Amino acid sequence: VEIIRLVRLIRGGEQVKFSKRAGNVVSFDELLDEVGEDVARYFYVRSSHKTEMNFDLDLAIKHSDENPVFYVQYAHARISSIFERAGTSPERWGEVRAGDLAPEERLLVLELLDFPRVIQNAAHKREVHPIPTYLETLATRFHQFYTVHRVLVEDADVRARRLALCAATKSVLRSGLDLVLIGSAILDVPKHPRIHALGFLDEPDIARIYLRAAAAPDLAPLRSADLPALPARPFRPRSRTRWQTAREHRGSDGGIRR
C-alpha cells in the first residue's frame, strides 16, 4: 500500500514556501494544533494518495459549510436536531416505508442504498478517498431534501417515512465517519489507537473497514443482500532504498510527505 505523497500547504490562495536552510518549515504537530485532528485526517483521506495534495489552511479552519468536514458533520447535527424536536430517537424507526416518494426523497434513498457498494469498492481497491466523497454527496442529498420538504408534518404516514429516512441517513453518516475515524459531532476530536498522527490507513485497517461495514447492524435495513467476502490479496512489501526512506521524511522542495 502506497503511503507517500507530496502535500502543498496553501494559505491566502498561495503556496507556503518551505526552506530547510532558512528554517521555514511547518511540522505536522503545528498543523494539527492549527486545524485539529478531525480536519487534518479528513483532508488527507478525502483525496487519492496517488495525486499531489493541496492542503488549504484557510478552508480547513473555517467552521462553515465550505469546509467539507463541517458540511458532513452539519448534516448529522441537523438530523439530531430533528429528532430532538420530534421527541423521539432514530432507533425507533426501521425501514423507509414504500410510497409515493418526492424526487428529493428518491435521490436520498438511492444514495443511501449505494453505501455498501462504495465500501466494497474502497476495500477492494485499497483506497479510502471514495468514502469521504460519498459522505459529502450524501450530505448534499440530505440538505437538498431538507430544504424542500418538512419532516415533522401532520400527515402520520409522511412523517413516519421521513423520520425513517432521516434515521437511515444519520446512521450511514455516522458509520461512514466512523470508518474514516472522524467524529460525527461538530468539533469532535477522537483518538484512535490504530492510526497515528498523520492519519493514514494501512492494509489491515482497510480490511477492517470493509468487515465492519459488512457486519454493521445499522446498515441492515439498507442492504438487499450481504456483501461478498473481501477478496484475497496478499500484501507484498517492496524493498526500500536509502533514497526512498529519506524521501518519506522530506520532499525535494521541503514539502511535507506522508
Side-chain angles (χ1 to χ4, degrees):
V1 177
E2 298 178 48
I3 58 174
I4 301 175
R5 77 187 303 188
L6 179 65
V7 179
R8 293 190 174 91
L9 295 183
I10 308 297
R11 190 191 296 274
E14 298 182 357
Q15 180 180 345
V16 178
K17 300 296 183 181
F18 294 101
S19 172
K20 296 187 290 294
R21 291 184 178 180
N24 183 22
V25 296
V26 177
S27 69
F28 203 85
D29 286 338
E30 293 172 325
L31 181 65
L32 292 177
D33 289 340
E34 183 165 357
V35 305
E37 291 185 18
D38 267 6
V39 175
R41 180 178 294 128
Y42 190 92
F43 272 55
Y44 265 88
V45 301
R46 75 187 293 258
S47 60
S48 173
H49 65 277
K50 299 177 182 178
T51 62
E52 294 182 356
M53 173 186 175
N54 291 329
F55 195 111
D56 191 331
L57 291 169
D58 296 325
L59 178 63
I61 62 176
K62 284 186 177 180
H63 289 201
S64 71
D65 59 5
E66 295 180 53
N67 186 328
V69 187
F70 290 95
Y71 184 70
V72 174
Q73 289 177 328
Y74 180 62
H76 187 277
R78 174 173 267 180
I79 297 172
S80 297
S81 176
I82 291 173
F83 282 101
E84 287 179 7
R85 287 187 280 115
T88 184
S89 64
E91 290 74 19
R92 293 184 55 187
W93 305 92
E95 297 185 15
V96 178
R97 297 181 182 180
D100 187 14
L101 300 178
E104 293 79 14
E105 292 176 303
R106 185 177 300 277
L107 288 173
L108 182 54
V109 168
L110 291 175
E111 201 66 46
L112 289 167
L113 291 172
D114 199 36
F115 185 45
R117 181 195 63 82
V118 172
I119 300 302
Q120 178 182 357
N121 288 344
H124 179 69
K125 296 179 180 179
R126 274 61 176 180
E127 295 178 340
V128 183
H129 67 275
I131 300 176
T133 300
Y134 168 83
L135 292 175
E136 292 169 37
T137 303
L138 178 61
T140 297
R141 295 297 188 200
F142 175 77
H143 290 311
Q144 291 171 341
F145 153 75
Y146 185 78
T147 300
V148 177
H149 303 285
R150 287 182 57 206
V151 176
L152 305 180
V153 296
E154 295 297 330
D155 188 307
D157 290 338
V158 174
R159 180 188 179 100
R161 184 178 73 238
R162 291 178 179 171
L163 281 172
L165 189 55
C166 288
T169 304
K170 183 178 182 181
S171 174
V172 171
L173 287 173
R174 171 65 271 173
S175 297
L177 288 170
D178 183 59
L179 291 177
V180 292
L181 310 178
I182 305 295
S184 59
I186 295 176
L187 298 182
D188 271 3
V189 185
K191 300 284 194 301
H192 197 283
R194 291 206 316 265
I195 194 164
H196 62 65
L198 287 178
F200 42 77
L201 303 172
D202 58 18
E203 182 152 335
D205 277 314
I206 299 294
R208 277 189 288 266
I209 281 177
Y210 180 80
L211 294 175
R212 287 167 59 194
D218 52 6
L219 297 182
L222 302 175
R223 290 197 306 254
S224 58
D226 290 334
L227 295 173
L230 182 67
R233 183 179 173 183
F235 175 57
R236 298 184 178 89
R238 288 189 245 174
S239 60
R240 310 172 62 76
T241 65
R242 291 178 57 189
W243 180 84
Q244 288 173 322
T245 303
R247 295 280 291 185
E248 288 185 10
H249 301 288
R250 62 180 184 276
S252 59
D253 59 352
I256 297 176
R257 281 189 177 272
R258 49 172 286 194

